[in-house]
Structure formats: structure tokens, C-alpha cells
PDB file of all heavy atoms in Angstrom:
ATOM      1  N   VAL O   1      49.818 151.285 -29.279  1.00 93.00           N
ATOM      2  CA  VAL O   1      50.589 150.747 -28.146  1.00 93.00           C
ATOM      3  C   VAL O   1      51.400 151.860 -27.485  1.00 93.00           C
ATOM      4  O   VAL O   1      51.375 152.043 -26.266  1.00 93.00           O
ATOM      5  CB  VAL O   1      51.536 149.621 -28.612  1.00 93.00           C
ATOM      6  CG1 VAL O   1      52.427 149.172 -27.451  1.00 93.00           C
ATOM      7  CG2 VAL O   1      50.747 148.449 -29.160  1.00 93.00           C
ATOM      8  N   ARG O   2      52.119 152.625 -28.292  1.00 93.00           N
ATOM      9  CA  ARG O   2      52.959 153.687 -27.736  1.00 93.00           C
ATOM     10  C   ARG O   2      52.113 154.772 -27.076  1.00 93.00           C
ATOM     11  O   ARG O   2      52.415 155.238 -25.978  1.00 93.00           O
ATOM     12  CB  ARG O   2      53.824 154.313 -28.829  1.00 93.00           C
ATOM     13  CG  ARG O   2      54.692 155.440 -28.281  1.00 93.00           C
ATOM     14  CD  ARG O   2      55.583 156.083 -29.328  1.00 93.00           C
ATOM     15  NE  ARG O   2      56.333 157.164 -28.708  1.00 93.00           N
ATOM     16  CZ  ARG O   2      55.889 158.407 -28.530  1.00 93.00           C
ATOM     17  NH1 ARG O   2      54.684 158.735 -28.961  1.00 93.00           N
ATOM     18  NH2 ARG O   2      56.621 159.319 -27.932  1.00 93.00           N
ATOM     19  N   ALA O   3      51.050 155.183 -27.756  1.00 94.00           N
ATOM     20  CA  ALA O   3      50.222 156.268 -27.218  1.00 94.00           C
ATOM     21  C   ALA O   3      49.531 155.850 -25.921  1.00 94.00           C
ATOM     22  O   ALA O   3      49.342 156.674 -25.025  1.00 94.00           O
ATOM     23  CB  ALA O   3      49.195 156.702 -28.256  1.00 94.00           C
ATOM     24  N   THR O   4      49.150 154.589 -25.807  1.00 95.00           N
ATOM     25  CA  THR O   4      48.557 154.103 -24.558  1.00 95.00           C
ATOM     26  C   THR O   4      49.565 154.209 -23.425  1.00 95.00           C
ATOM     27  O   THR O   4      49.235 154.659 -22.319  1.00 95.00           O
ATOM     28  CB  THR O   4      48.089 152.646 -24.715  1.00 95.00           C
ATOM     29  OG1 THR O   4      47.108 152.571 -25.751  1.00 95.00           O
ATOM     30  CG2 THR O   4      47.484 152.124 -23.413  1.00 95.00           C
ATOM     31  N   GLY O   5      50.810 153.836 -23.701  1.00 94.00           N
ATOM     32  CA  GLY O   5      51.856 153.958 -22.692  1.00 94.00           C
ATOM     33  C   GLY O   5      52.111 155.400 -22.290  1.00 94.00           C
ATOM     34  O   GLY O   5      52.318 155.713 -21.109  1.00 94.00           O
ATOM     35  N   VAL O   6      52.083 156.304 -23.281  1.00 94.00           N
ATOM     36  CA  VAL O   6      52.281 157.727 -22.988  1.00 94.00           C
ATOM     37  C   VAL O   6      51.141 158.255 -22.129  1.00 94.00           C
ATOM     38  O   VAL O   6      51.360 159.018 -21.173  1.00 94.00           O
ATOM     39  CB  VAL O   6      52.410 158.534 -24.291  1.00 94.00           C
ATOM     40  CG1 VAL O   6      52.378 160.032 -24.005  1.00 94.00           C
ATOM     41  CG2 VAL O   6      53.699 158.173 -25.022  1.00 94.00           C
ATOM     42  N   ALA O   7      49.911 157.874 -22.449  1.00 95.00           N
ATOM     43  CA  ALA O   7      48.757 158.325 -21.663  1.00 95.00           C
ATOM     44  C   ALA O   7      48.858 157.827 -20.225  1.00 95.00           C
ATOM     45  O   ALA O   7      48.586 158.581 -19.274  1.00 95.00           O
ATOM     46  CB  ALA O   7      47.459 157.852 -22.308  1.00 95.00           C
ATOM     47  N   LEU O   8      49.265 156.580 -20.037  1.00 95.00           N
ATOM     48  CA  LEU O   8      49.466 156.054 -18.685  1.00 95.00           C
ATOM     49  C   LEU O   8      50.540 156.865 -17.958  1.00 95.00           C
ATOM     50  O   LEU O   8      50.393 157.206 -16.779  1.00 95.00           O
ATOM     51  CB  LEU O   8      49.878 154.581 -18.749  1.00 95.00           C
ATOM     52  CG  LEU O   8      48.750 153.566 -18.936  1.00 95.00           C
ATOM     53  CD1 LEU O   8      49.315 152.226 -19.398  1.00 95.00           C
ATOM     54  CD2 LEU O   8      47.979 153.384 -17.635  1.00 95.00           C
ATOM     55  N   GLY O   9      51.617 157.176 -18.671  1.00 94.00           N
ATOM     56  CA  GLY O   9      52.685 157.970 -18.075  1.00 94.00           C
ATOM     57  C   GLY O   9      52.214 159.349 -17.663  1.00 94.00           C
ATOM     58  O   GLY O   9      52.596 159.868 -16.605  1.00 94.00           O
ATOM     59  N   ASN O  10      51.366 159.961 -18.484  1.00 95.00           N
ATOM     60  CA  ASN O  10      50.820 161.270 -18.125  1.00 95.00           C
ATOM     61  C   ASN O  10      49.953 161.179 -16.873  1.00 95.00           C
ATOM     62  O   ASN O  10      49.979 162.065 -16.018  1.00 95.00           O
ATOM     63  CB  ASN O  10      50.017 161.850 -19.287  1.00 95.00           C
ATOM     64  CG  ASN O  10      50.897 162.492 -20.343  1.00 95.00           C
ATOM     65  OD1 ASN O  10      51.864 163.173 -20.020  1.00 95.00           O
ATOM     66  ND2 ASN O  10      50.579 162.280 -21.604  1.00 95.00           N
ATOM     67  N   CYS O  11      49.173 160.108 -16.766  1.00 96.00           N
ATOM     68  CA  CYS O  11      48.346 159.930 -15.562  1.00 96.00           C
ATOM     69  C   CYS O  11      49.219 159.851 -14.315  1.00 96.00           C
ATOM     70  O   CYS O  11      48.851 160.380 -13.250  1.00 96.00           O
ATOM     71  CB  CYS O  11      47.506 158.662 -15.687  1.00 96.00           C
ATOM     72  SG  CYS O  11      46.213 158.733 -16.949  1.00 96.00           S
ATOM     73  N   VAL O  12      50.374 159.194 -14.436  1.00 95.00           N
ATOM     74  CA  VAL O  12      51.308 159.101 -13.311  1.00 95.00           C
ATOM     75  C   VAL O  12      51.903 160.474 -13.006  1.00 95.00           C
ATOM     76  O   VAL O  12      51.933 160.929 -11.856  1.00 95.00           O
ATOM     77  CB  VAL O  12      52.424 158.085 -13.611  1.00 95.00           C
ATOM     78  CG1 VAL O  12      53.510 158.138 -12.536  1.00 95.00           C
ATOM     79  CG2 VAL O  12      51.850 156.671 -13.714  1.00 95.00           C
ATOM     80  N   GLU O  13      52.375 161.165 -14.041  1.00 94.00           N
ATOM     81  CA  GLU O  13      53.027 162.461 -13.840  1.00 94.00           C
ATOM     82  C   GLU O  13      52.044 163.520 -13.351  1.00 94.00           C
ATOM     83  O   GLU O  13      52.442 164.482 -12.676  1.00 94.00           O
ATOM     84  CB  GLU O  13      53.723 162.901 -15.121  1.00 94.00           C
ATOM     85  CG  GLU O  13      54.885 161.994 -15.480  1.00 94.00           C
ATOM     86  CD  GLU O  13      55.805 162.579 -16.518  1.00 94.00           C
ATOM     87  OE1 GLU O  13      55.974 163.802 -16.559  1.00 94.00           O
ATOM     88  OE2 GLU O  13      56.357 161.790 -17.306  1.00 94.00           O
ATOM     89  N   TRP O  14      50.774 163.355 -13.663  1.00 96.00           N
ATOM     90  CA  TRP O  14      49.763 164.286 -13.176  1.00 96.00           C
ATOM     91  C   TRP O  14      49.304 163.942 -11.759  1.00 96.00           C
ATOM     92  O   TRP O  14      48.430 164.592 -11.204  1.00 96.00           O
ATOM     93  CB  TRP O  14      48.566 164.317 -14.114  1.00 96.00           C
ATOM     94  CG  TRP O  14      48.868 164.894 -15.471  1.00 96.00           C
ATOM     95  CD1 TRP O  14      50.089 165.276 -15.954  1.00 96.00           C
ATOM     96  CD2 TRP O  14      47.930 165.143 -16.517  1.00 96.00           C
ATOM     97  NE1 TRP O  14      49.967 165.742 -17.247  1.00 96.00           N
ATOM     98  CE2 TRP O  14      48.656 165.678 -17.622  1.00 96.00           C
ATOM     99  CE3 TRP O  14      46.558 164.964 -16.644  1.00 96.00           C
ATOM    100  CZ2 TRP O  14      48.045 166.027 -18.817  1.00 96.00           C
ATOM    101  CZ3 TRP O  14      45.944 165.312 -17.844  1.00 96.00           C
ATOM    102  CH2 TRP O  14      46.689 165.858 -18.923  1.00 96.00           C
ATOM    103  N   GLY O  15      49.876 162.873 -11.192  1.00 94.00           N
ATOM    104  CA  GLY O  15      49.581 162.503  -9.810  1.00 94.00           C
ATOM    105  C   GLY O  15      48.288 161.750  -9.610  1.00 94.00           C
ATOM    106  O   GLY O  15      47.783 161.662  -8.484  1.00 94.00           O
ATOM    107  N   LEU O  16      47.740 161.153 -10.684  1.00 95.00           N
ATOM    108  CA  LEU O  16      46.443 160.492 -10.588  1.00 95.00           C
ATOM    109  C   LEU O  16      46.528 158.974 -10.692  1.00 95.00           C
ATOM    110  O   LEU O  16      45.530 158.282 -10.504  1.00 95.00           O
ATOM    111  CB  LEU O  16      45.501 161.049 -11.660  1.00 95.00           C
ATOM    112  CG  LEU O  16      45.263 162.555 -11.512  1.00 95.00           C
ATOM    113  CD1 LEU O  16      44.471 163.088 -12.688  1.00 95.00           C
ATOM    114  CD2 LEU O  16      44.552 162.879 -10.207  1.00 95.00           C
ATOM    115  N   LEU O  17      47.691 158.469 -10.991  1.00 95.00           N
ATOM    116  CA  LEU O  17      47.988 157.046 -10.913  1.00 95.00           C
ATOM    117  C   LEU O  17      49.343 156.895 -10.243  1.00 95.00           C
ATOM    118  O   LEU O  17      50.200 157.783 -10.350  1.00 95.00           O
ATOM    119  CB  LEU O  17      48.053 156.393 -12.302  1.00 95.00           C
ATOM    120  CG  LEU O  17      46.777 155.948 -12.988  1.00 95.00           C
ATOM    121  CD1 LEU O  17      47.117 155.310 -14.335  1.00 95.00           C
ATOM    122  CD2 LEU O  17      45.976 154.968 -12.139  1.00 95.00           C
ATOM    123  N   ARG O  18      49.549 155.772  -9.601  1.00 95.00           N
ATOM    124  CA  ARG O  18      50.863 155.441  -9.069  1.00 95.00           C
ATOM    125  C   ARG O  18      51.381 154.202  -9.787  1.00 95.00           C
ATOM    126  O   ARG O  18      50.605 153.430 -10.350  1.00 95.00           O
ATOM    127  CB  ARG O  18      50.792 155.194  -7.561  1.00 95.00           C
ATOM    128  CG  ARG O  18      50.326 156.419  -6.776  1.00 95.00           C
ATOM    129  CD  ARG O  18      50.457 156.218  -5.287  1.00 95.00           C
ATOM    130  NE  ARG O  18      51.865 156.120  -4.903  1.00 95.00           N
ATOM    131  CZ  ARG O  18      52.278 155.819  -3.666  1.00 95.00           C
ATOM    132  NH1 ARG O  18      51.386 155.578  -2.715  1.00 95.00           N
ATOM    133  NH2 ARG O  18      53.562 155.758  -3.393  1.00 95.00           N
ATOM    134  N   THR O  19      52.694 154.030  -9.777  1.00 94.00           N
ATOM    135  CA  THR O  19      53.291 152.888 -10.444  1.00 94.00           C
ATOM    136  C   THR O  19      54.521 152.437  -9.685  1.00 94.00           C
ATOM    137  O   THR O  19      55.088 153.195  -8.883  1.00 94.00           O
ATOM    138  CB  THR O  19      53.655 153.233 -11.900  1.00 94.00           C
ATOM    139  OG1 THR O  19      54.113 152.069 -12.583  1.00 94.00           O
ATOM    140  CG2 THR O  19      54.742 154.313 -11.955  1.00 94.00           C
ATOM    141  N   ASP O  20      54.957 151.204  -9.922  1.00 90.00           N
ATOM    142  CA  ASP O  20      56.185 150.726  -9.294  1.00 90.00           C
ATOM    143  C   ASP O  20      57.385 151.217 -10.099  1.00 90.00           C
ATOM    144  O   ASP O  20      57.229 151.849 -11.151  1.00 90.00           O
ATOM    145  CB  ASP O  20      56.178 149.193  -9.181  1.00 90.00           C
ATOM    146  CG  ASP O  20      55.908 148.499 -10.511  1.00 90.00           C
ATOM    147  OD1 ASP O  20      56.407 148.993 -11.543  1.00 90.00           O
ATOM    148  OD2 ASP O  20      55.197 147.482 -10.521  1.00 90.00           O
ATOM    149  N   THR O  21      58.565 150.960  -9.623  1.00 77.00           N
ATOM    150  CA  THR O  21      59.771 151.525 -10.239  1.00 77.00           C
ATOM    151  C   THR O  21      59.984 151.059 -11.669  1.00 77.00           C
ATOM    152  O   THR O  21      60.584 151.775 -12.474  1.00 77.00           O
ATOM    153  CB  THR O  21      61.017 151.182  -9.407  1.00 77.00           C
ATOM    154  OG1 THR O  21      61.085 149.758  -9.229  1.00 77.00           O
ATOM    155  CG2 THR O  21      60.945 151.858  -8.041  1.00 77.00           C
ATOM    156  N   ARG O  22      59.491 149.882 -11.991  1.00 79.00           N
ATOM    157  CA  ARG O  22      59.668 149.361 -13.361  1.00 79.00           C
ATOM    158  C   ARG O  22      58.425 149.559 -14.232  1.00 79.00           C
ATOM    159  O   ARG O  22      58.358 149.064 -15.349  1.00 79.00           O
ATOM    160  CB  ARG O  22      60.044 147.880 -13.318  1.00 79.00           C
ATOM    161  CG  ARG O  22      61.420 147.617 -12.704  1.00 79.00           C
ATOM    162  CD  ARG O  22      61.713 146.140 -12.657  1.00 79.00           C
ATOM    163  NE  ARG O  22      60.769 145.454 -11.753  1.00 79.00           N
ATOM    164  CZ  ARG O  22      60.666 144.125 -11.652  1.00 79.00           C
ATOM    165  NH1 ARG O  22      61.422 143.352 -12.404  1.00 79.00           N
ATOM    166  NH2 ARG O  22      59.800 143.579 -10.809  1.00 79.00           N
ATOM    167  N   ARG O  23      57.445 150.274 -13.685  1.00 78.00           N
ATOM    168  CA  ARG O  23      56.191 150.523 -14.402  1.00 78.00           C
ATOM    169  C   ARG O  23      55.557 149.227 -14.918  1.00 78.00           C
ATOM    170  O   ARG O  23      55.060 149.155 -16.037  1.00 78.00           O
ATOM    171  CB  ARG O  23      56.405 151.521 -15.551  1.00 78.00           C
ATOM    172  CG  ARG O  23      56.856 152.889 -15.035  1.00 78.00           C
ATOM    173  CD  ARG O  23      56.419 154.021 -15.940  1.00 78.00           C
ATOM    174  NE  ARG O  23      56.652 155.304 -15.269  1.00 78.00           N
ATOM    175  CZ  ARG O  23      56.198 156.462 -15.688  1.00 78.00           C
ATOM    176  NH1 ARG O  23      55.468 156.523 -16.779  1.00 78.00           N
ATOM    177  NH2 ARG O  23      56.429 157.577 -15.041  1.00 78.00           N
ATOM    178  N   LYS O  24      55.568 148.214 -14.051  1.00 81.00           N
ATOM    179  CA  LYS O  24      54.940 146.951 -14.410  1.00 81.00           C
ATOM    180  C   LYS O  24      53.445 146.959 -14.091  1.00 81.00           C
ATOM    181  O   LYS O  24      52.674 146.203 -14.676  1.00 81.00           O
ATOM    182  CB  LYS O  24      55.618 145.803 -13.650  1.00 81.00           C
ATOM    183  CG  LYS O  24      57.056 145.539 -14.065  1.00 81.00           C
ATOM    184  CD  LYS O  24      57.131 144.985 -15.474  1.00 81.00           C
ATOM    185  CE  LYS O  24      58.557 144.621 -15.842  1.00 81.00           C
ATOM    186  NZ  LYS O  24      58.645 144.107 -17.232  1.00 81.00           N
ATOM    187  N   SER O  25      53.057 147.803 -13.125  1.00 93.00           N
ATOM    188  CA  SER O  25      51.637 147.879 -12.792  1.00 93.00           C
ATOM    189  C   SER O  25      51.310 149.288 -12.317  1.00 93.00           C
ATOM    190  O   SER O  25      52.191 150.066 -11.941  1.00 93.00           O
ATOM    191  CB  SER O  25      51.271 146.857 -11.708  1.00 93.00           C
ATOM    192  OG  SER O  25      51.964 147.120 -10.500  1.00 93.00           O
ATOM    193  N   TYR O  26      50.016 149.585 -12.349  1.00 95.00           N
ATOM    194  CA  TYR O  26      49.530 150.917 -11.994  1.00 95.00           C
ATOM    195  C   TYR O  26      48.342 150.773 -11.054  1.00 95.00           C
ATOM    196  O   TYR O  26      47.548 149.838 -11.178  1.00 95.00           O
ATOM    197  CB  TYR O  26      49.079 151.675 -13.248  1.00 95.00           C
ATOM    198  CG  TYR O  26      50.168 151.871 -14.273  1.00 95.00           C
ATOM    199  CD1 TYR O  26      50.486 150.862 -15.192  1.00 95.00           C
ATOM    200  CD2 TYR O  26      50.885 153.070 -14.344  1.00 95.00           C
ATOM    201  CE1 TYR O  26      51.489 151.043 -16.138  1.00 95.00           C
ATOM    202  CE2 TYR O  26      51.886 153.258 -15.288  1.00 95.00           C
ATOM    203  CZ  TYR O  26      52.178 152.235 -16.175  1.00 95.00           C
ATOM    204  OH  TYR O  26      53.174 152.413 -17.108  1.00 95.00           O
ATOM    205  N   TRP O  27      48.210 151.713 -10.135  1.00 95.00           N
ATOM    206  CA  TRP O  27      47.061 151.707  -9.243  1.00 95.00           C
ATOM    207  C   TRP O  27      46.678 153.140  -8.911  1.00 95.00           C
ATOM    208  O   TRP O  27      47.451 154.076  -9.144  1.00 95.00           O
ATOM    209  CB  TRP O  27      47.346 150.892  -7.981  1.00 95.00           C
ATOM    210  CG  TRP O  27      48.442 151.431  -7.113  1.00 95.00           C
ATOM    211  CD1 TRP O  27      48.311 152.225  -6.015  1.00 95.00           C
ATOM    212  CD2 TRP O  27      49.856 151.199  -7.256  1.00 95.00           C
ATOM    213  NE1 TRP O  27      49.535 152.504  -5.459  1.00 95.00           N
ATOM    214  CE2 TRP O  27      50.514 151.889  -6.211  1.00 95.00           C
ATOM    215  CE3 TRP O  27      50.633 150.485  -8.177  1.00 95.00           C
ATOM    216  CZ2 TRP O  27      51.887 151.885  -6.053  1.00 95.00           C
ATOM    217  CZ3 TRP O  27      52.014 150.473  -8.023  1.00 95.00           C
ATOM    218  CH2 TRP O  27      52.632 151.169  -6.969  1.00 95.00           C
ATOM    219  N   SER O  28      45.488 153.300  -8.382  1.00 93.00           N
ATOM    220  CA  SER O  28      44.960 154.640  -8.127  1.00 93.00           C
ATOM    221  C   SER O  28      45.097 155.018  -6.668  1.00 93.00           C
ATOM    222  O   SER O  28      44.917 154.179  -5.776  1.00 93.00           O
ATOM    223  CB  SER O  28      43.480 154.697  -8.522  1.00 93.00           C
ATOM    224  OG  SER O  28      42.947 155.980  -8.285  1.00 93.00           O
ATOM    225  N   ASP O  29      45.445 156.274  -6.424  1.00 82.00           N
ATOM    226  CA  ASP O  29      45.433 156.805  -5.067  1.00 82.00           C
ATOM    227  C   ASP O  29      43.984 157.086  -4.664  1.00 82.00           C
ATOM    228  O   ASP O  29      43.051 156.799  -5.408  1.00 82.00           O
ATOM    229  CB  ASP O  29      46.231 158.113  -5.011  1.00 82.00           C
ATOM    230  CG  ASP O  29      47.708 157.840  -4.727  1.00 82.00           C
ATOM    231  OD1 ASP O  29      48.008 156.762  -4.189  1.00 82.00           O
ATOM    232  OD2 ASP O  29      48.544 158.688  -5.055  1.00 82.00           O
ATOM    233  N   VAL O  30      43.810 157.655  -3.507  1.00 85.00           N
ATOM    234  CA  VAL O  30      42.476 158.064  -3.074  1.00 85.00           C
ATOM    235  C   VAL O  30      41.907 159.057  -4.091  1.00 85.00           C
ATOM    236  O   VAL O  30      42.610 159.954  -4.565  1.00 85.00           O
ATOM    237  CB  VAL O  30      42.547 158.719  -1.682  1.00 85.00           C
ATOM    238  CG1 VAL O  30      41.172 159.243  -1.261  1.00 85.00           C
ATOM    239  CG2 VAL O  30      43.077 157.719  -0.663  1.00 85.00           C
ATOM    240  N   ARG O  31      40.655 158.866  -4.443  1.00 92.00           N
ATOM    241  CA  ARG O  31      40.040 159.741  -5.438  1.00 92.00           C
ATOM    242  C   ARG O  31      39.952 161.168  -4.911  1.00 92.00           C
ATOM    243  O   ARG O  31      39.656 161.395  -3.740  1.00 92.00           O
ATOM    244  CB  ARG O  31      38.653 159.216  -5.789  1.00 92.00           C
ATOM    245  CG  ARG O  31      38.694 157.863  -6.479  1.00 92.00           C
ATOM    246  CD  ARG O  31      37.336 157.218  -6.482  1.00 92.00           C
ATOM    247  NE  ARG O  31      36.417 157.907  -7.361  1.00 92.00           N
ATOM    248  CZ  ARG O  31      35.098 157.712  -7.351  1.00 92.00           C
ATOM    249  NH1 ARG O  31      34.550 156.880  -6.486  1.00 92.00           N
ATOM    250  NH2 ARG O  31      34.331 158.362  -8.193  1.00 92.00           N
ATOM    251  N   ARG O  32      40.200 162.131  -5.786  1.00 94.00           N
ATOM    252  CA  ARG O  32      40.182 163.538  -5.399  1.00 94.00           C
ATOM    253  C   ARG O  32      38.759 164.087  -5.437  1.00 94.00           C
ATOM    254  O   ARG O  32      38.057 163.950  -6.438  1.00 94.00           O
ATOM    255  CB  ARG O  32      41.059 164.359  -6.338  1.00 94.00           C
ATOM    256  CG  ARG O  32      42.521 163.974  -6.300  1.00 94.00           C
ATOM    257  CD  ARG O  32      43.345 165.014  -7.019  1.00 94.00           C
ATOM    258  NE  ARG O  32      44.753 164.636  -7.065  1.00 94.00           N
ATOM    259  CZ  ARG O  32      45.735 165.479  -7.320  1.00 94.00           C
ATOM    260  NH1 ARG O  32      45.458 166.759  -7.565  1.00 94.00           N
ATOM    261  NH2 ARG O  32      46.993 165.088  -7.341  1.00 94.00           N
ATOM    262  N   GLU O  33      38.364 164.718  -4.365  1.00 95.00           N
ATOM    263  CA  GLU O  33      37.040 165.327  -4.330  1.00 95.00           C
ATOM    264  C   GLU O  33      37.062 166.646  -5.096  1.00 95.00           C
ATOM    265  O   GLU O  33      38.028 167.403  -5.027  1.00 95.00           O
ATOM    266  CB  GLU O  33      36.596 165.565  -2.895  1.00 95.00           C
ATOM    267  CG  GLU O  33      36.345 164.278  -2.123  1.00 95.00           C
ATOM    268  CD  GLU O  33      35.692 164.531  -0.783  1.00 95.00           C
ATOM    269  OE1 GLU O  33      35.313 165.696  -0.508  1.00 95.00           O
ATOM    270  OE2 GLU O  33      35.549 163.566  -0.008  1.00 95.00           O
ATOM    271  N   VAL O  34      35.994 166.904  -5.832  1.00 97.00           N
ATOM    272  CA  VAL O  34      35.865 168.174  -6.547  1.00 97.00           C
ATOM    273  C   VAL O  34      34.534 168.813  -6.169  1.00 97.00           C
ATOM    274  O   VAL O  34      33.587 168.132  -5.769  1.00 97.00           O
ATOM    275  CB  VAL O  34      35.950 167.981  -8.085  1.00 97.00           C
ATOM    276  CG1 VAL O  34      37.301 167.422  -8.487  1.00 97.00           C
ATOM    277  CG2 VAL O  34      34.828 167.075  -8.593  1.00 97.00           C
ATOM    278  N   GLY O  35      34.476 170.130  -6.294  1.00 96.00           N
ATOM    279  CA  GLY O  35      33.258 170.860  -5.985  1.00 96.00           C
ATOM    280  C   GLY O  35      32.224 170.763  -7.095  1.00 96.00           C
ATOM    281  O   GLY O  35      32.480 170.195  -8.171  1.00 96.00           O
ATOM    282  N   GLN O  36      31.062 171.340  -6.859  1.00 96.00           N
ATOM    283  CA  GLN O  36      29.946 171.208  -7.789  1.00 96.00           C
ATOM    284  C   GLN O  36      30.253 171.777  -9.170  1.00 96.00           C
ATOM    285  O   GLN O  36      29.923 171.157 -10.187  1.00 96.00           O
ATOM    286  CB  GLN O  36      28.702 171.905  -7.214  1.00 96.00           C
ATOM    287  CG  GLN O  36      27.484 171.804  -8.119  1.00 96.00           C
ATOM    288  CD  GLN O  36      26.240 172.361  -7.462  1.00 96.00           C
ATOM    289  OE1 GLN O  36      25.916 172.023  -6.326  1.00 96.00           O
ATOM    290  NE2 GLN O  36      25.525 173.241  -8.169  1.00 96.00           N
ATOM    291  N   ASP O  37      30.880 172.939  -9.236  1.00 96.00           N
ATOM    292  CA  ASP O  37      31.143 173.553 -10.539  1.00 96.00           C
ATOM    293  C   ASP O  37      32.125 172.722 -11.359  1.00 96.00           C
ATOM    294  O   ASP O  37      31.933 172.531 -12.564  1.00 96.00           O
ATOM    295  CB  ASP O  37      31.680 174.973 -10.361  1.00 96.00           C
ATOM    296  CG  ASP O  37      30.627 175.937  -9.829  1.00 96.00           C
ATOM    297  OD1 ASP O  37      29.426 175.628  -9.954  1.00 96.00           O
ATOM    298  OD2 ASP O  37      31.010 176.989  -9.297  1.00 96.00           O
ATOM    299  N   VAL O  38      33.178 172.236 -10.710  1.00 97.00           N
ATOM    300  CA  VAL O  38      34.155 171.403 -11.421  1.00 97.00           C
ATOM    301  C   VAL O  38      33.519 170.070 -11.798  1.00 97.00           C
ATOM    302  O   VAL O  38      33.759 169.537 -12.887  1.00 97.00           O
ATOM    303  CB  VAL O  38      35.424 171.203 -10.572  1.00 97.00           C
ATOM    304  CG1 VAL O  38      36.377 170.212 -11.241  1.00 97.00           C
ATOM    305  CG2 VAL O  38      36.128 172.537 -10.355  1.00 97.00           C
ATOM    306  N   ALA O  39      32.684 169.532 -10.919  1.00 97.00           N
ATOM    307  CA  ALA O  39      31.994 168.281 -11.227  1.00 97.00           C
ATOM    308  C   ALA O  39      31.104 168.432 -12.460  1.00 97.00           C
ATOM    309  O   ALA O  39      31.059 167.554 -13.338  1.00 97.00           O
ATOM    310  CB  ALA O  39      31.162 167.831 -10.032  1.00 97.00           C
ATOM    311  N   THR O  40      30.402 169.548 -12.553  1.00 97.00           N
ATOM    312  CA  THR O  40      29.553 169.796 -13.722  1.00 97.00           C
ATOM    313  C   THR O  40      30.389 169.891 -14.984  1.00 97.00           C
ATOM    314  O   THR O  40      30.000 169.391 -16.044  1.00 97.00           O
ATOM    315  CB  THR O  40      28.738 171.091 -13.513  1.00 97.00           C
ATOM    316  OG1 THR O  40      27.973 170.982 -12.310  1.00 97.00           O
ATOM    317  CG2 THR O  40      27.794 171.329 -14.679  1.00 97.00           C
ATOM    318  N   PHE O  41      31.552 170.522 -14.869  1.00 98.00           N
ATOM    319  CA  PHE O  41      32.476 170.601 -16.011  1.00 98.00           C
ATOM    320  C   PHE O  41      32.910 169.199 -16.432  1.00 98.00           C
ATOM    321  O   PHE O  41      32.971 168.886 -17.634  1.00 98.00           O
ATOM    322  CB  PHE O  41      33.690 171.446 -15.619  1.00 98.00           C
ATOM    323  CG  PHE O  41      34.683 171.677 -16.720  1.00 98.00           C
ATOM    324  CD1 PHE O  41      34.502 172.707 -17.633  1.00 98.00           C
ATOM    325  CD2 PHE O  41      35.801 170.869 -16.845  1.00 98.00           C
ATOM    326  CE1 PHE O  41      35.417 172.924 -18.650  1.00 98.00           C
ATOM    327  CE2 PHE O  41      36.731 171.077 -17.863  1.00 98.00           C
ATOM    328  CZ  PHE O  41      36.535 172.110 -18.772  1.00 98.00           C
ATOM    329  N   LEU O  42      33.210 168.323 -15.474  1.00 98.00           N
ATOM    330  CA  LEU O  42      33.621 166.959 -15.793  1.00 98.00           C
ATOM    331  C   LEU O  42      32.482 166.164 -16.434  1.00 98.00           C
ATOM    332  O   LEU O  42      32.711 165.344 -17.329  1.00 98.00           O
ATOM    333  CB  LEU O  42      34.119 166.248 -14.535  1.00 98.00           C
ATOM    334  CG  LEU O  42      35.466 166.727 -13.987  1.00 98.00           C
ATOM    335  CD1 LEU O  42      35.782 166.045 -12.656  1.00 98.00           C
ATOM    336  CD2 LEU O  42      36.593 166.474 -14.986  1.00 98.00           C
TER     337      LEU O  42
END
């Protein structure tokens, strides 16, 4: 439970999820485009 919350928090702090002020819900911003080399790495 705790680690899931921490992972969600990291996604927010890394700028890949957004959340409301009370962290009751999370949503995604526009997906970030990556180039071919980074895509292959992913």
C-alpha cells in the first residue's frame, strides 16, 4: 500500500501524472513523444 502511494507520488513529481491538491485522483497529461532510439530503449 505504501510503496504504491510512493510510486504514484514519483510519477507526479517526475511530471508524468497530475493530481488534485488532496491527491484524491490522478490523471495523465499529453503523452510525451520520444525519438526512435529512446523508443527502442523503452
Side-chain angles (χ1 to χ4, degrees):
V1 174
R2 179 179 178 276
T4 300
V6 170
L8 279 163
N10 280 319
C11 292
V12 172
E13 294 195 32
W14 293 6
L16 300 173
L17 277 181
R18 298 188 67 186
T19 186
D20 53 38
T21 55
R22 293 178 295 170
R23 297 209 169 191
K24 293 292 184 181
S25 63
Y26 300 83
W27 64 96
S28 180
D29 271 338
V30 176
R31 295 165 70 194
R32 297 192 183 198
E33 293 189 7
V34 298
Q36 180 174 310
D37 291 340
V38 174
T40 303
F41 183 84
L42 289 174

